[in-house]
Amino acid sequence: MSFAPVFSTHMLPTFLNCVKGYRKPTILDIGAVTGQNIQFLLGKGTKVYVDDVLTGWEEWKELGFSGHGTPAQMEEYLEKHLAYPPGFFDGILCWDTLDAIDPLSSRQLIGRLYEILKHRGTILALFGQGARVSRVRAKYCIVDEGHIEYGWTPAGSPSDHQYENQQIHAMFGGFSLIRIYLLRNGIREILFRKESSSAHQPVPNSHPLQRQGTLPRTPSADRRRPWLAMKVP
Amino acid sequence: MWSSKLRRESFRNKEEEVMADKEAPPVFPIRPSKGMEHPSTGTSSIARIGRSIFIKGELSGQEDLTIDGIVEGVIELDDHNLTIEQNARINAKIRARNVVIRGEVVGEIDALERVEIQSMGRLQGNILSPRVVIADAAHFKGSVDMPDHEPQGEEEKEAPADSAVAADNHQPPLEASPSEELIRWA
C-alpha cells in the first residue's frame, strides 16, 4: 500500500504532446528509475532509455573522488555514462536532477543533454521550492497523464541548491522556454525546447579554472562542446 | 487341400492386420511440457545452474532454468522462464518467456511476456518485452522497447513544428488550483 502523495502535473501532458509527433519517439529518463514510468511511456508507444544520472554520479564520485567532484570529473563521467549519439532523443525527462547537482555540474549536464537531444526536442525539468537537507531525493512515478506520485528514495548527499527562475533560464541558454508552471506544492514544472544551432547560445561557463584556461579537457570534448573551448573574458 | 485353405485364411488374416495397421491413428511419444511434474520426484522440471558453475558459450533448453552461477554468451529458453539468482553474474544475450533478475546482468533481454528486476537485481542493457517490472531498490540502465508496437493512424514527422502550439491548447485533466499560477517568460 502506498502513502506517497499524488499531485497534478500540467507539463507532462504538454511534454507528451510535443514528442508524440514522431512515429516512435525515443525518450530518455534521467531521474530515479521506476518501472511505473517505463510502463506508462511504453504504453504511449515510445522507446524508453533509463539512465539515473544522479545515482551514477554519486557512485562515480565514490569510486575514488571526494567532495562534490570537479568539473573535469563530471566531464569524464558524462563522456562515459551519457555516451549517446548526438541528436538521439526526441524528449528528455530530467525531473529534479539538477536540483541535486552543483551549478557548474548542472551546466555541464545540460550541455550534454543539449547534444543528445534532437532539433526541436523537448526537456521536462522540475525544480523544488527549497534546499534538500536530508539524504533522500524525490522519486516521481507517473500515475496517469495528469498525475504524478511523489515518492522518496535514498540519496548519497543532501542538496543545498535552490535555483531562481533567472538562473534556470541562464543555465538552459541553448533552449527556448515553452512554458513554466508553479504547482501548489511549490514545484516548478518547466518545459524547454532545443532550438536550431544558429539560435543556439552557448551555455555560460563561469568556473574559475575554465576562465583561466587551466581546466583539463580532451580535444574531442572541445570539438563537441564549443562553449568549453570558448574564452570567457 | 486343408493346408491350402489354412494358408489362404492365414494370408487373409495377415492382409486384414496390415489394413488395420494402416487405418490405426499414429501414436506419438509423450514429451514433457511446460510445468509438467517429473514422474519420479513429483517436482516441476526446473533446471538449476549452481553458484560454482561457470559457463561460456550458448545455453539453450526446453524447460525453466534458474542460474546462480556465472554465464557468458547466449541463453535461449524460448517459451520457458529464466530466473537469475542473487549470486549470478550474467553477461549474455537472453531470450525467454519470463525473466526474473535478482543478480547482475549485462546484455540484451528479449522476453515474450515479462522482465522483472527485483530489489537486489542489477541490469545494464536493453530490454525487448511487453511488460517490465522494476522494484524500488533495483538498478537498471538501458533501454526498454515493446515488440511490434505500432501506434495507429500516425505518420512520421521530422520536426513537429506545431506540436508546441497543439500542446499549449491541451487541457490537463485536473482543474488548476486557485493558488497555482501560470508564469510565462517573455
Side-chain angles (χ1 to χ4, degrees):
Chain A
M1 195 174 194
S2 174
F3 296 100
V6 175
F7 293 99
S8 62
T9 169
H10 292 258
M11 289 297 105
L12 182 64
T14 315
F15 172 82
L16 293 171
N17 271 341
C18 286
V19 299
K20 80 176 183 184
Y22 298 93
R23 188 179 178 193
K24 179 101 177 178
T26 306
I27 292 178
L28 172 65
D29 185 341
I30 64 167
V33 179
T34 68
Q36 206 170 323
N37 291 0
I38 292 170
Q39 205 60 46
F40 175 83
L41 293 170
L42 283 178
K44 295 289 175 190
T46 64
K47 182 172 184 178
V48 189
Y49 282 75
V50 178
D51 201 327
D52 186 347
V53 167
L54 195 55
T55 303
W57 175 231
E58 295 287 347
E59 287 177 358
W60 180 258
K61 284 194 292 185
E62 282 174 14
L63 282 176
F65 307 126
S66 57
H68 290 292
T70 64
Q73 289 160 0
M74 184 56 159
E75 187 69 24
E76 194 180 352
Y77 168 75
L78 293 174
E79 286 280 342
K80 290 189 176 177
H81 291 265
L82 223 58
Y84 299 100
F88 189 69
F89 295 104
D90 300 301
I92 297 174
L93 288 168
C94 193
W95 302 114
D96 67 344
T97 305
L98 298 171
D99 260 352
I101 303 178
D102 64 276
L104 181 59
S105 299
S106 293
R107 286 175 183 177
Q108 289 177 291
L109 175 59
I110 292 167
R112 185 69 179 160
L113 297 181
Y114 184 90
E115 286 177 3
I116 60 179
L117 193 63
K118 274 183 189 165
H119 169 55
R120 297 188 75 80
T122 314
I123 287 187
L124 173 63
L126 307 186
F127 290 89
Q129 70 273 41
R132 175 170 57 85
V133 291
S134 57
R135 289 183 179 272
V136 292
R137 61 185 280 219
K139 187 173 186 175
Y140 301 95
C141 299
I142 302 170
V143 177
D144 56 43
E145 206 163 311
H147 299 86
I148 294 176
E149 183 182 292
Y150 288 44
W152 301 101
T153 186
S157 56
S159 162
D160 53 357
H161 312 294
Q162 184 184 8
Y163 295 106
E164 301 295 331
N165 288 350
Q166 291 304 322
Q167 287 177 297
I168 297 166
H169 200 194
M171 280 198 304
F172 282 86
F175 295 83
S176 67
L177 179 80
I178 298 178
R179 194 176 260 192
I180 178 170
Y181 207 97
L182 177 64
L183 295 174
R184 191 168 44 179
N185 58 9
I187 298 285
R188 287 164 288 172
E189 293 185 312
I190 309 179
L191 209 57
F192 292 100
R193 182 166 55 205
K194 178 180 175 178
E195 291 301 340
S196 63
S197 54
S198 59
H200 172 230
Q201 300 164 358
V203 176
N205 215 334
S206 61
H207 193 271
L209 287 176
Q210 283 169 339
R211 277 203 295 272
Q212 293 164 16
T214 53
L215 181 67
R217 297 190 299 265
T218 59
S220 63
D222 285 352
R223 274 200 303 276
R224 295 207 307 272
R225 296 172 177 75
W227 55 86
L228 284 184
M230 193 176 66
K231 293 281 182 191
V232 180
Chain B
M1 185 177 173
W2 279 108
S3 62
S4 64
K5 190 180 178 182
L6 280 172
R7 218 179 290 128
R8 269 200 303 271
E9 279 180 1
S10 68
F11 178 75
R12 197 178 298 134
N13 288 341
K14 279 183 183 172
E15 207 172 36
E16 283 170 4
E17 280 174 17
V18 171
M19 291 296 289
D21 282 344
K22 280 182 182 173
E23 288 170 7
V27 178
F28 295 102
I30 297 171
R31 289 175 185 162
S33 63
K34 188 179 65 174
M36 189 176 219
E37 288 191 345
H38 194 276
S40 58
T41 61
T43 58
S44 70
S45 79
I46 299 175
R48 185 179 182 87
I49 294 172
R51 65 174 64 181
S52 66
I53 307 291
F54 171 65
I55 296 174
K56 191 170 186 177
E58 192 173 327
L59 185 62
S60 62
Q62 291 299 317
E63 59 186 304
D64 295 353
L65 176 65
T66 298
I67 301 176
D68 208 11
I70 301 170
V71 178
E72 289 179 9
V74 178
I75 302 169
E76 288 192 359
L77 298 179
D78 292 335
D79 204 22
H80 295 270
N81 306 323
L82 174 67
T83 305
I84 294 160
E85 291 291 358
Q86 283 185 15
N87 298 298
R89 303 286 177 270
I90 311 292
N91 189 345
K93 193 173 180 180
I94 298 169
R95 200 170 73 195
R97 174 167 288 278
N98 294 297
V99 180
V100 177
I101 299 171
R102 298 188 192 110
E104 276 189 30
V105 180
V106 176
E108 294 180 8
I109 299 178
D110 183 356
L112 288 175
E113 284 182 2
R114 196 171 83 144
V115 174
E116 183 178 350
I117 309 172
Q118 296 192 349
S119 57
M120 296 300 289
R122 294 176 71 90
L123 169 63
Q124 185 172 347
N126 303 325
I127 298 174
L128 187 66
S129 172
R131 186 156 178 77
V132 177
V133 178
I134 298 176
D136 266 355
H139 180 92
F140 171 53
K141 181 184 175 181
S143 72
V144 186
D145 201 1
M146 198 179 277
D148 302 322
H149 183 93
E150 290 289 330
Q152 294 175 353
E154 290 185 18
E155 291 182 359
E156 189 169 8
K157 295 177 192 171
E158 276 304 312
D162 298 331
S163 58
V165 178
D168 282 351
N169 294 332
H170 178 85
Q171 292 299 318
L174 264 196
E175 288 180 10
S177 157
S179 60
E180 292 171 351
E181 52 180 322
L182 185 68
I183 304 170
R184 278 179 184 274
W185 269 315

